[in-house]
Structure formats: C-alpha cells, structure tokens
Amino acid sequence: MQKPISIVAIQSLSPLGKSLAESWKSYQNNQHYFSEEKGNLVARLAKDSQEEIKKLRLSDSKYKSLDDSVLFAIYCSRKAIEQAHWKASDNFGINIGSSRGATTLFESYHKDFLEKEKAKPLSSPTTTLGNISSWVAHDLQTQGPEISHSITCSTALHAMLNGIAWINAGMCSKFLVGGSEAPLTPFTIAQMQALKIYAKKPTDFPCLALDSHKKRNTMILGEGASMACLESGNSQHALAKIIGIGYATEVLEHNASLSADALCFQRSMSMAIGDFNTNDIDIIITHTPGTIKGDKAEVNAIQKIFCNKIPSLTTNKWKVGHTLGASGMLSIEMAIHMLNKQQFLSVPFIESTIPQSINKILVNAVGFGGNAVSILLSK
C-alpha cells in the first residue's frame, strides 16, 4: 500500500437486511436466511427490502425495465453516499461489478426470442455489462469516471482494488466501489447444479461453509449488493482503514478449478500482509462457498501462510449463501462490524478461537479462474 485508504461509508442490501443496523442485528443470531423455492434452496431479500426495490422501480419510468441487480446497486449507492456526505459535485469515481449481471432480464429476453424469434427493443441496453455503474452514475448525476467489470466471485474486491489504484494514482480522491448480484433465476441455479456444487436438501445448517469435514457440496445462491465509499488518507470519519491489498491468479486445470493448496490465495494473502507479522492478523473472513474442494483449498492455503498460529476464521455464507460478485463486499461489511463492535462473529458449527482483541482483519475472495483478492483492514 502506498498510503492508507479510508472506508468512510458502507451500505448493503442482503438477506441480513437493508442497513448496517439491520445486518448487525441479523448477525447476532444463529439462524440462516435460506428458504426453499420450487425445490431449490436460495437466500432472498426480506419482504421489506423487496418492497424498497419495488418502490425504486416505480419511482422513475426509466427504471421499470431495469434488472434487479441494477436497482440493488442504485439503492445501496444512494444510501452509501448519503452516509459519506458526498455530493455529485465531488466528481467521485464509480466501479461496480457483477458476476452474472442482468440475469433475470437476459433469461426473460432470451425466452421471448425463442418463442417469437424477435428480440425486444431494450434487450441490448438493459443487459450490457456496463449497465450497473452507468445507471448508478446517471442516478447520482456524477461527473467522475464510471467502470463496470465481471471477475466472477471476486468482482467486488477487484472493484475495491481498482478504486484504490485510481486514488493512489492521484486521478481521484474518492471512489464508490462494490458489487451487485440478483442470481436467483432458474438457469443460474441450474448451472450451479450442473457443476454438482449446489446444496440438495434443507437441514439445520444447509450451507456448511468453512466446514472442512463435510461430505457433500453445500453451496447455495443468495442475492444482494454492497457499496463502500473510499477516501484517500486517514479520514477522521473512517469506519475502517485499508492497510494492505493482495491479488493473484494461478494456472488452471479446468475452468472452475482451484489447486489443493490454493496457490492464488497464498500469494494474495502474503501480498496483503506485506511487512506486517502474520501474528498481527486477528481474524480471516474466508471466501469458502460451501464446496468440499474450494473450502478445503482455502483452509490449506491459510495453514501454509500462518503455520502454527492460525487467526480466528469465520464467514457469512452459512447465513446468506454465495452472492457471487457481491460477496466480497458483504464480507468487508462483516469485518467493519467486528472492528467497530469488537465482537467476533463465529460460525455456529465450527470450533474457532475467539480473538482477545480485534485490530486487523483479512478478507478473502476468489472466483472461477483462480482470481484471488485479499484485503487487510484495521480500525
């Protein structure tokens, strides 16, 4: 890191709630937020959150044709810049990504095309990859740069890396970064089932994320979005400081592979820790989506880097499932909760040491293609 970056605001929309207060309250219980729809387990937004998105859709005639992933991003972005006290005239940058993008609309338009052999007029502009950031920029009326990308499940943390790069380059002093995902569609769920990684039946804890001893794959998809406001330097209003960043890729055996010891995670974590002592890391929020091989590979990588003194490990995917491109930023929010509340949020079916104090938290994310990102946060 050339210099510290402050996170001055963060807002999310997820099965945990639609505000920091609501998500913190949801973290205080040992219940998950999965439900069964058409025989498939999913983690959907709560009814009141769905109503907020419905109101947003009806608030502007142009928004009626937008995908939920775009509306989730607009909703969270409005809340985030309000919390940060930013104005459109600040000309801050925007980088918001998504793994799947406008999934619902794409599937709907494609089905309509197969039936009628004609595409609807708005098929292209409402399903393009740049749709999310451009609509957020339009809604906020900003004049700064706006960028979209898809780097599968590490998308949100790559957006954070990009915002940091722009700030460190002196090209912007502020950046809005995040990820948004609305993947609860038949085709998207079918894709995960085809990979044989999706949870098959409801149990007390359907998603066994971080459990290295599970005998079955238990990944479950969830929907949501999370946006963070980044500012250069040590802001007196900071919720947390970014003091280390790491990123890496690894050679793949196939499109969805990860080596047994997750070399990409070993490299990204080492880079993020930098000159800090590994003993200084109190907690790691793992990516661990609930798959046998993926979870074990990340734990193996952690053991390689931290040897005999493993930090406390935790994740939120056992509660909200895998929100794909948004998942990394929801983990950042979880880290900010623990830093500011000084309370470790554990996984109820995992034995983990309780840190004596919480000063430094490492957040991991990785996507198909072995694209790992690690972000080190401090108070």
Side-chain angles (χ1 to χ4, degrees):
M1 288 288 292
Q2 296 180 20
K3 55 187 175 183
I5 301 290
S6 295
I7 301 175
V8 297
I10 190 163
Q11 289 290 330
S12 69
L13 188 66
S14 79
L16 298 174
K18 58 183 186 299
S19 68
L20 284 173
E22 288 186 14
S23 66
W24 175 249
K25 183 179 179 180
S26 296
Y27 274 123
Q28 300 310 298
N29 61 57
N30 282 338
Q31 71 182 63
H32 63 75
Y33 290 86
F34 303 122
S35 59
E36 194 170 356
E37 298 180 6
K38 297 181 180 179
N40 299 313
L41 289 166
V42 297
R44 196 173 288 281
L45 300 183
K47 294 294 184 184
D48 59 341
S49 296
Q50 293 178 36
E51 283 300 314
E52 289 294 313
I53 296 303
K54 183 178 179 180
K55 289 177 187 176
L56 176 58
R57 184 182 297 280
L58 297 175
S59 68
D60 190 316
S61 61
K62 295 187 295 295
Y63 292 176
K64 291 181 180 180
S65 60
L66 297 181
D67 190 77
D68 276 354
S69 59
V70 180
L71 295 176
F72 292 174
I74 291 174
Y75 182 87
C76 292
S77 297
R78 286 181 179 181
K79 296 287 186 180
I81 69 162
E82 179 183 3
Q83 183 189 6
H85 303 291
W86 288 4
K87 303 182 297 295
S89 58
D90 292 340
N91 292 336
F92 53 87
I94 297 172
N95 193 166
I96 303 170
S98 179
S99 178
R100 306 297 306 169
T103 315
T104 301
L105 283 185
F106 194 91
E107 291 182 26
S108 174
Y109 287 149
H110 184 249
K111 179 182 178 182
D112 194 66
F113 172 75
L114 292 178
E115 292 174 352
K116 301 176 182 177
E117 295 188 350
K118 289 184 179 180
K120 290 186 176 180
L122 293 180
S123 298
S124 176
T126 55
T127 60
T128 53
L129 180 61
N131 210 35
I132 299 180
S133 288
S134 59
W135 272 108
V136 168
H138 164 80
D139 183 76
L140 301 179
Q141 291 295 293
T142 61
Q143 301 300 315
E146 42 102 351
I147 306 159
S148 292
H149 65 232
S150 176
I151 311 179
T152 61
C153 305
S154 55
T155 292
L157 293 195
H158 270 100
M160 179 168 274
L161 291 179
N162 203 29
I164 291 168
W166 277 73
I167 291 172
N168 281 337
M171 299 171 70
C172 271
S173 60
K174 301 176 181 179
F175 236 90
L176 174 69
V177 299
S180 184
E181 209 73 58
L184 306 183
T185 64
F187 184 55
T188 305
I189 293 172
Q191 289 176 73
M192 301 302 143
Q193 292 171 333
L195 290 170
K196 295 180 170 56
I197 59 176
Y198 211 79
K200 292 184 178 180
K201 58 183 179 179
T203 59
D204 289 342
F205 297 110
C207 179
L208 296 173
L210 193 56
D211 182 355
S212 298
H213 303 293
K214 58 180 168 287
K215 303 300 182 183
R216 65 185 188 279
N217 288 318
T218 62
M219 195 190 87
I220 301 172
L221 288 179
E223 62 182 359
S226 184
M227 307 298 151
C229 293
L230 308 183
E231 292 185 1
S232 178
N234 293 305
S235 170
Q236 60 179 341
H237 305 295
L239 300 174
K241 291 188 297 183
I242 301 170
I243 57 173
I245 58 172
Y247 46 88
T249 57
E250 62 176 68
V251 177
L252 302 179
E253 292 183 9
H254 59 80
N255 292 359
S257 70
L258 191 65
S259 58
D261 293 329
L263 291 173
C264 57
F265 265 140
Q266 292 184 50
R267 294 165 183 161
S268 69
M269 287 189 292
S270 295
M271 182 178 176
I273 294 166
D275 294 332
F276 292 107
N277 193 306
T278 54
N279 292 339
D280 293 335
I281 310 303
D282 302 301
I283 298 169
I284 301 176
I285 300 179
T286 60
H287 178 76
T288 53
T291 61
I292 295 173
K293 290 184 178 180
D295 290 18
K296 185 62 177 176
E298 185 174 358
V299 171
N300 287 344
I302 290 169
Q303 291 171 341
K304 290 276 188 180
I305 297 300
F306 291 88
C307 300
N308 296 323
K309 191 176 183 302
I310 306 295
S312 300
L313 304 182
T314 191
T315 181
N316 53 22
K317 291 186 178 68
W318 72 271
K319 286 180 85 76
V320 300
H322 195 356
T323 54
L324 303 180
S327 63
M329 200 61 71
L330 287 174
S331 294
I332 293 287
E333 180 190 74
M334 184 186 188
I336 288 172
H337 277 315
M338 288 191 285
L339 285 169
N340 287 293
K341 302 291 187 179
Q342 285 296 293
Q343 178 182 328
F344 178 60
L345 299 173
S346 61
V347 179
F349 49 84
I350 298 291
E351 288 188 13
S352 186
T353 56
I354 306 300
Q356 294 182 344
S357 62
I358 303 174
N359 298 302
K360 292 183 176 65
I361 300 179
L362 191 65
V363 178
N364 282 342
V366 69
F368 289 152
N371 300 297
V373 178
S374 299
I375 303 289
L376 182 59
L377 301 179
S378 72
K379 295 172 63 178

